[in-house]
Amino acid sequence: MTVKEELERQEHRNLNPLAAFADESRGRPRLDPEREQDVRTCYQRDTDRIVHSKSFRRLMHKTQVFLRPEGDHYRTRMTHTLEVARIARTITRALGLNEDLCEAIAMGHDLGHTPFGHAGEAALTRCLGKPFRHNEQSLRVVDVLENDGAGLNLTYEVRMGIVGHTTGAPLPETLEGQIVRKSDQIAYVNHDIDDAIRAGILTDEDIPDSISDLLGHTHRERVNSLVVDCILTSREAGAILLTPEMDQALKDLRSFMFERVYRNPVAKGEESKAKEMLLRLYDYYFTNPQALPETFQPQMSFDGLERTVCDYIAGMTDNYAVDKYTEIFIPLGWQVRG
């Protein structure tokens, strides 16, 4: 018996019958040459492929809420991803579900985010003339763009968990995917509060008592209340749920954040500049496709210029977008050479 086969047997011995078992995966888009000799289950291998990808490394330089913050302790897409993964694994383990699948989905769920967060998403929506959705772009990254156009060839369950992680998208078929979706909501609302407090926009006392009295008065208390409630409620229901009271409190907390932070001119004051910068970059590369990197040149023949330029800009980090804008549009000072 191989190591991988023993790990798969352990899953059947140890996990909840409702878990998504690795040896019952619906498979990958293409045959996988690693499938025979590997010592990892298919979901463990998917996590490794994501974590070793270029798009995953770029998350450390992409905005979460605050554009290019000067402090060292504000969240980025990378730290957000790690927090989602930890919350999701806590819930998954308590419910006896497949942590490896859960981790793979969590690590890949935000790979398609643009530079400058939702400001970048709005800019590319305007460029394309149709909604640019980061969850769909995350799937495109792992299916098409990574690995020099070959994609990562991930399992069906991970791919569907990635595209279904956000509200409005179809609910993932696996409970593990549904856990990541709920963990993403728990993570971003609460860590965005933490960052807003750090920025001086909020205090813990600003959160309405109707929410704090139920969830708690600190970041730790709020996250813990929601995670524990999700575990206990889901265990009874056999589905991934919060109690109605906790679910409403989370929605109210999100509405409060939209009112006080997500639309706050202090937090979002530079967004119009970021959007304009990306719009100008898009127009430049659309007009001058020869300026696209060599690795993107072949893509134009089968995806078209519009999609190729969109993919290039969506993959930029905040700093890289600023550097390219400066290089293209800002005149350099005259220097004496020689």
Side-chain angles (χ1 to χ4, degrees):
M1 182 186 301
T2 67
V3 174
K4 180 169 75 72
E5 288 170 340
E6 176 54 31
L7 292 173
E8 291 169 347
R9 287 195 177 190
Q10 287 177 18
E11 286 187 354
H12 283 280
R13 288 197 299 267
N14 299 331
L15 297 185
N16 188 316
L18 297 176
F21 297 102
D23 62 354
E24 296 176 359
S25 169
R26 291 176 58 174
R28 304 177 184 278
R30 301 183 305 280
L31 287 177
D32 192 339
E34 295 181 354
R35 68 189 187 282
E36 297 298 335
Q37 70 272 23
D38 205 357
V39 296
R40 299 161 292 175
T41 69
C42 59
Y43 301 140
Q44 290 173 332
R45 189 157 71 247
D46 282 357
T47 297
D48 290 341
R49 289 180 179 182
I50 291 167
V51 170
H52 288 285
S53 70
K54 291 183 290 186
S55 52
F56 183 80
R57 293 194 293 275
R58 290 196 297 268
L59 292 176
M60 72 176 74
H61 299 298
K62 290 196 175 192
T63 288
Q64 177 63 25
V65 171
F66 294 90
L67 273 64
R68 305 180 78 202
E70 294 184 2
D72 291 335
H73 301 128
Y74 290 92
R75 269 73 170 190
T76 65
R77 287 289 164 196
M78 173 73 80
T79 56
H80 163 72
T81 293
L82 297 177
E83 290 184 38
V84 171
R86 290 310 309 160
I87 290 173
R89 288 196 68 158
T90 296
I91 296 171
T92 303
R93 179 175 296 182
L95 296 178
L97 299 173
N98 197 318
E99 288 185 64
D100 294 327
L101 172 56
C102 165
E103 182 176 39
I105 296 169
M107 290 301 185
H109 82 282
D110 267 359
L111 295 179
H113 257 296
T114 62
F116 307 114
H118 292 287
E121 200 166 359
L124 290 182
T125 290
R126 183 170 161 187
C127 292
L128 293 173
K130 60 183 180 181
F132 177 96
R133 297 184 175 93
H134 77 272
N135 60 313
E136 296 173 357
Q137 187 70 11
S138 294
L139 183 62
R140 181 169 173 78
V141 167
V142 300
D143 277 358
V144 178
L145 300 178
E146 263 296 338
N147 200 19
D148 298 324
L152 300 179
N153 197 26
L154 304 181
T155 56
Y156 173 87
E157 293 77 12
V158 172
R159 294 169 58 246
M160 291 305 100
I162 287 173
V163 78
H165 82 268
T166 189
T167 304
L171 192 69
E173 297 167 24
T174 65
L175 294 178
E176 291 84 355
Q178 294 171 34
I179 287 171
V180 173
R181 180 163 163 150
K182 186 62 67 179
S183 298
D184 185 41
Q185 297 167 6
I186 293 171
Y188 81 74
V189 170
N190 283 289
H191 66 48
D192 291 350
I193 291 173
D194 196 42
D195 280 353
I197 291 171
R198 181 170 291 106
I201 295 172
L202 286 179
T203 68
D204 279 318
E205 289 71 32
D206 290 327
I207 299 171
D209 290 341
S210 59
I211 299 174
S212 293
D213 289 346
L214 186 61
L215 298 184
H217 294 268
T218 67
H219 174 76
R220 184 191 64 80
E221 290 174 351
R222 286 187 291 268
V223 172
N224 187 67
S225 295
L226 289 162
V227 169
V228 170
D229 184 84
C230 185
I231 290 168
L232 297 179
T233 307
S234 301
R235 182 181 289 171
E236 291 295 321
I240 307 309
L241 301 169
L242 293 169
T243 57
E245 297 80 10
M246 284 289 192
D247 189 58
Q248 188 58 52
L250 182 58
K251 290 175 181 175
D252 291 344
L253 194 57
R254 184 174 181 271
S255 297
F256 168 78
M257 288 297 289
F258 267 97
E259 178 186 342
R260 293 293 300 272
V261 177
Y262 298 145
R263 299 192 182 107
N264 187 299
V266 175
K268 297 298 185 180
E270 299 297 294
E271 274 200 358
S272 60
K273 297 179 186 177
K275 290 178 185 177
E276 184 62 29
M277 183 171 64
L278 295 184
L279 289 170
R280 289 195 68 187
L281 284 173
Y282 181 90
D283 288 341
Y284 174 81
Y285 286 111
F286 192 84
T287 306
N288 302 277
Q290 72 280 359
L292 287 166
E294 243 179 71
T295 52
F296 282 83
Q297 295 294 330
Q299 184 184 335
M300 287 186 283
S301 63
F302 51 86
D303 275 337
L305 179 56
E306 183 180 72
R307 184 73 246 183
T308 303
V309 174
C310 175
D311 287 339
Y312 177 47
I313 291 175
M316 291 179 174
T317 64
D318 296 11
N319 290 339
Y320 185 77
V322 171
D323 289 345
K324 296 308 290 186
Y325 183 88
T326 301
E327 175 188 315
I328 294 166
F329 296 110
I330 307 300
L332 296 174
W334 183 77
Q335 297 178 3
V336 177
R337 291 177 171 81

